[in-house]
Amino acid sequence: MSLSRIGGLMAALLGAAVVVGILGLRPLNPANVGWMLHGPTGPDTVQIWLGRGYFEQTPWLWPPGANPLWGIELSSGIFYTDSMPLLLFLFKALRSVVHFAQYAGPWVLVCGLLQGWLGWRLVGLVTPDPLARLAGAGLLALQPVWFNRLGYHIHMAAQWTLLASLVLAVSPGGGRRRGLAWVALVTVTSLLNPYLLAMVGVLWGGDWLRRAGWETGFRRPLPALPAVLEAAAGFAGVLASLWLSGFFMLRGGFASGAGSEFGTYGTWGLDLLGFLDGGEWSRFLPDMPGTGHWESGSSYLGLGGVLLVGAGILGLVRRPVALPRRLWPLAAAVLVLFGFAVTHKVTIAGHVLTLVTLSDHMLGLLGTLRNSERMAMPVIYALLFAGICGCVHAWGGRATGWLLAALLVVQAADLQPAMDRRRALVADAPSGVPPRLFDPFWPQAAQAYTRVRAVPAANIGQGWQSIAHFAMQAGMATDSVYLARVDGAAVAALRARMAEVLASGTYEPGTLYILRDADSLARARASHDPARDAILHVDDYWVLAPGWLARPR
């Protein structure tokens, strides 16, 4: 085996080591689902598990990503379950051959391997020095912006797609194989996560512009037909993937979902000091004031990363060099992503300056990607890579290798306490599926009903986890959901119809009702037949069980 392949393997293992450092070994076992469900990692892993469970119980429909059992009238496609359609399609197709209780842990491990290997490839574009490549790959993997996602935002663990984009965009030349690589990358990414798709798409646009003629001043542009075919194939691949995964099934509510109550685009921006904000991550740097949104503080570079960028700047001061013309479109793409991350409300240490007022319509459009700080992910990787380039240019690959190795040690020391805290969240999780409802009523009800209503309907409503958990394991449809986006008009219509059903007593056949509020309970008490229907208080839930008292015993 060549030295380059050995180095690439070691870099991949370094990325995998970061995964093990964050999660430990138990979540990597496909039979261990408990770490996703027992609570400390938050509701997103539960959402992923439920989305996959309902999808595999559903026969293949058209489009293939339709997932009607989870949501009923509120349902759409697996795109909105954050369950990574690429993997859901794969495991559903293979379920008669092989079945894993969970794939999230093994998937994250694969992402770690790719993160390390592509970091090796990226650094190798500026230096062949093996130590520089290995330590640089380690710094690109040991980043809070990545490992912050490993325990709960598993659908965003595939940040290797961003490194792959940078490898393609920085590599000189082009040709048909480059175009095919981009088409494959954007198509695969569209089956993983919409935020990553947006980032990869912008980077692809920059490289496409370079190859279309920018690099040569449009004196020798890319032939028109291949350029058009690449763009058409890329867009076609993305649109086909989105359609397959049920993206177009949603009719409205593209700016809804968890976090929409906090605000829309502009309230989730990147603080200009965010790359230096130690927050919960750093042992050495302080927690700076921020805007307080969920993503705030997740863009910290780590002390090793901060020092790397500083060293790169010092190297450029020592030995100035202009950015090659061929990389200008890539730099422009990175700046576009940075601007989108910062938003029109510029924040510095928590102080907000509104540069321009956007219309409600524009905010609604931009609000589909309202967690805009996430768009700084490729900016972070580009900054670190630029720092490596500056060091190599000033001091050479060998000296840079020793510097990067030292900075990797600093990075690990800075982030180790935060990594230990993350690992503790899942270290003691039971391996099995933890029970949520304990009363003997529930397994009996599963034999008598075919679906469960939670009234009034809501996305992420009261008890959604327990209700959806019970329904999925019992093979019952439910409208108790946590979906990334839900049509608000559909929610309102369902609420109105369920209020009418409860008020009139014309209950739906085979339907069990969980009554979430006093009004629903009052309607059920007024309309039910005490000789046939039961209203029970079970595990802290009020339940209307039509026909329960008249069922065969």
Side-chain angles (χ1 to χ4, degrees), residues 131-372:
L131 180 59
R133 295 180 71 179
L134 186 60
L139 280 168
L140 291 169
L142 197 57
Q143 285 297 313
V145 74
W146 178 55
F147 66 65
N148 179 34
R149 311 292 173 176
L150 302 187
Y152 62 107
H153 280 164
I154 296 164
H155 51 285
M156 298 198 72
Q159 293 180 30
W160 54 266
T161 56
L162 305 178
L163 296 181
S165 298
L166 290 175
V167 169
L168 290 175
V170 173
S171 298
R176 182 178 301 174
R177 293 181 64 182
R178 179 70 55 84
L180 290 174
W182 273 115
V183 170
L185 181 60
V186 295
T187 301
V188 168
T189 308
S190 66
L191 290 169
L192 294 175
N193 180 266
Y195 280 91
L196 293 176
L197 172 61
M199 300 175 215
V200 170
V202 172
L203 296 174
W204 171 40
D207 189 56
W208 185 91
L209 179 62
R210 174 185 70 82
R211 291 176 291 115
W214 175 271
E215 186 173 4
T216 62
F218 293 96
R219 292 187 297 273
R220 293 188 309 241
L222 183 70
L225 183 58
V228 171
L229 286 178
E230 177 188 331
F235 280 104
V238 169
L239 291 175
S241 299
L242 294 178
W243 177 82
L244 287 169
S245 58
F247 173 82
F248 299 106
M249 296 179 69
L250 188 68
R251 300 303 179 188
F254 292 99
S256 65
S260 57
E261 71 281 358
F262 184 86
T264 184
Y265 180 77
T267 53
W268 295 79
L270 169 71
D271 194 293
L272 290 182
L273 299 180
F275 298 146
L276 308 175
D277 182 5
E280 63 175 305
W281 304 107
S282 179
R283 173 184 291 182
F284 304 117
L285 296 187
D287 181 9
M288 296 184 179
T291 55
H293 61 73
W294 299 346
E295 302 289 332
S296 180
S298 64
S299 299
Y300 175 52
L301 299 180
L303 181 56
V306 171
L307 294 176
L308 170 59
V309 174
I313 294 173
L314 181 62
L316 290 176
V317 170
R318 181 176 182 270
R319 191 180 176 193
V321 62
L323 182 69
R325 177 183 172 85
R326 68 180 183 86
L327 295 181
W328 288 9
L330 174 60
V334 171
L335 287 174
V336 166
L337 291 167
F338 179 72
F340 191 94
V342 172
T343 82
H344 61 294
K345 294 184 177 181
V346 179
T347 307
I348 305 176
H351 300 284
V352 180
L353 173 64
T354 301
L355 298 181
V356 63
T357 301
L358 300 180
S359 67
D360 291 341
H361 177 69
M362 181 60 68
L363 288 174
L365 292 175
L366 297 175
T368 60
L369 297 172
R370 62 173 170 269
N371 292 3
S372 58

Side-chain angles (χ1 to χ4, degrees), residues 11-72:
L13 293 176
L14 204 55
V18 175
V19 173
V20 174
I22 293 294
L23 296 181
L25 291 172
R26 295 182 63 195
L28 308 184
N29 180 357
N32 179 5
V33 72
W35 73 276
M36 299 179 67
L37 306 178
H38 83 297
T41 55
D44 289 42
T45 50
V46 180
Q47 175 199 30
I48 291 169
W49 181 73
L50 288 170
R52 183 253 182 125
Y54 281 107
F55 183 59
E56 291 194 349
Q57 292 179 13
T58 304
W60 288 107
L61 301 173
W62 207 247
N67 199 23
L69 293 182
W70 200 21
I72 314 176

Side-chain angles (χ1 to χ4, degrees), residues 59-125:
W60 288 107
L61 301 173
W62 207 247
N67 199 23
L69 293 182
W70 200 21
I72 314 176
E73 294 90 346
L74 306 182
S75 69
S76 51
I78 55 173
F79 181 90
Y80 298 102
T81 66
D82 286 343
S83 302
M84 296 162 291
L86 178 68
L87 301 184
L88 262 63
F89 287 139
L90 175 64
F91 286 107
K92 183 171 181 175
L94 296 176
R95 70 187 185 279
S96 61
V97 178
V98 61
H99 183 271
F100 298 136
Q102 61 94 11
Y103 60 76
W107 167 247
V108 167
L109 181 62
V110 170
C111 290
L113 293 167
L114 290 171
Q115 186 87 1
W117 179 70
L118 285 163
W120 167 270
R121 289 284 308 276
L122 182 61
V123 179
L125 295 176

Side-chain angles (χ1 to χ4, degrees), residues 437-450 452 470 474 476 510 512 534 536 538 543 545-549 551-553:
L437 300 175
F438 302 92
D439 195 280
F441 165 79
W442 300 106
Q444 298 175 42
Q447 302 300 316
Y449 301 95
T450 58
V452 183
F470 158 69
M476 305 164 72
L512 184 71
L536 308 169
V538 187
V543 180
W548 183 253
L549 302 178
R551 77 190 191 282
R553 304 263 178 169

